[in-house]
Every structure is written in structure tokens, then in C-alpha cells.
Amino acid sequence: MARPKQETPTSGELEVLKVLWKRGPSTVREVLEELNSQGRKRAYTSVMSLMNVMADKGLLDREPLGRAFQYTACKPQESTLGGIVGDLLGRVFEGSAPALVTHLLEESKPSAVELEEIRKALEQYEEENGR
């Protein structure tokens, strides 16, 4: 039985996307250097294969640049992260935002400063959405 197509990026794909969102259009070599600077070493061919698969999936745009390709994320960071959170909310928490937030707080154990930032974000959300 074929594996269902995953709508959200895998963890490896997300690592590549984060590099591209930070750097902007980049070659495989540039993405590889950034990923390798973060600790875990990867092979050029592994990153190239992953980025080619991502281009085939529509996650990346690819343009010729000399003998190489330059890759760009197809969607902005906020759009992609919103899709990931929406998928998590629907599949794991059955659409319950309170359950998601409660679980997030229990897992992350935010500091007093972080809790204050969360309160401010909630107040801003209420103001902007007339609630």
C-alpha cells in the first residue's frame, strides 16, 4: 500500500525551508554549509536529493544559476507554519485550540517572562479581532 502524500513538510524538509527563509534564494552548497554549521553533518548528495524532491513536491522553486540551481521556498514562513499548526490542531487535538494551548504550556513550561509575552499576544489578538 502506498504511503499517503504528506501535506506538511517533513522535519528534514523543514530544516531546509528554515535555511531558505533565513538566507533567501540559495544553492544546494549554501544550504549544506548552513545545515552543517548547525551540528549534524550531511552529505552534499543527500541535501541535493532532498531539495530536488522538495522542488518536485512544490515546496521549492528551482532556477538555473550557472552550472547549479538556485532554490527558493514557494511559500512564506508564516503560511507554511500556519499549515503545520493547523494540521496538528486538526489531527491531534480534534480542532480544540484550548487543548492545544494547554498541552503546549504543559510541555514547554514557560517562564514568567514568556507567560507575560503570551498574555500580551492574547490581548493583541483580542483587540485585532474585536473580541
Side-chain angles (χ1 to χ4, degrees):
M1 181 175 186
R3 197 170 175 194
K5 184 178 176 186
Q6 189 168 355
E7 295 294 322
T8 57
T10 65
S11 59
E13 292 169 345
L14 193 54
E15 285 181 300
V16 169
L17 287 168
K18 286 178 182 178
V19 170
L20 293 172
W21 289 324
K22 178 180 165 187
R23 288 183 49 92
S26 304
T27 64
V28 172
R29 176 83 48 212
E30 292 166 335
V31 171
L32 173 70
E33 289 170 0
E34 180 70 26
L35 291 172
N36 284 347
S37 75
Q38 297 171 6
R40 197 175 109 228
K41 299 297 181 199
R42 295 155 183 92
Y44 177 88
T45 53
S46 297
V47 175
M48 181 179 66
S49 295
L50 177 61
M51 291 176 71
N52 285 329
V53 167
M54 292 173 71
D56 292 342
K57 289 172 70 173
L59 294 171
L60 301 180
D61 281 327
R62 169 175 57 203
E63 295 291 328
L65 181 68
R67 292 183 46 179
F69 284 99
Q70 189 170 52
Y71 293 82
T72 308
C74 287
K75 292 182 181 177
Q77 185 174 10
E78 288 304 314
S79 173
T80 301
L81 297 181
I84 292 169
V85 171
D87 179 59
L88 181 68
L89 178 64
R91 285 189 312 116
V92 178
F93 296 97
E94 299 174 351
S96 171
L100 171 63
V101 171
T102 299
H103 192 79
L104 178 65
L105 292 171
E106 289 170 356
E107 287 297 313
S108 65
K109 309 223 183 312
S111 67
V113 170
E114 291 170 321
L115 284 172
E116 186 57 34
E117 289 175 17
I118 292 168
R119 283 185 192 93
K120 287 178 183 175
L122 287 171
E123 289 171 7
Q124 182 178 352
Y125 177 84
E126 288 177 331
E127 287 174 14
E128 291 173 358
N129 293 282
R131 296 183 182 171

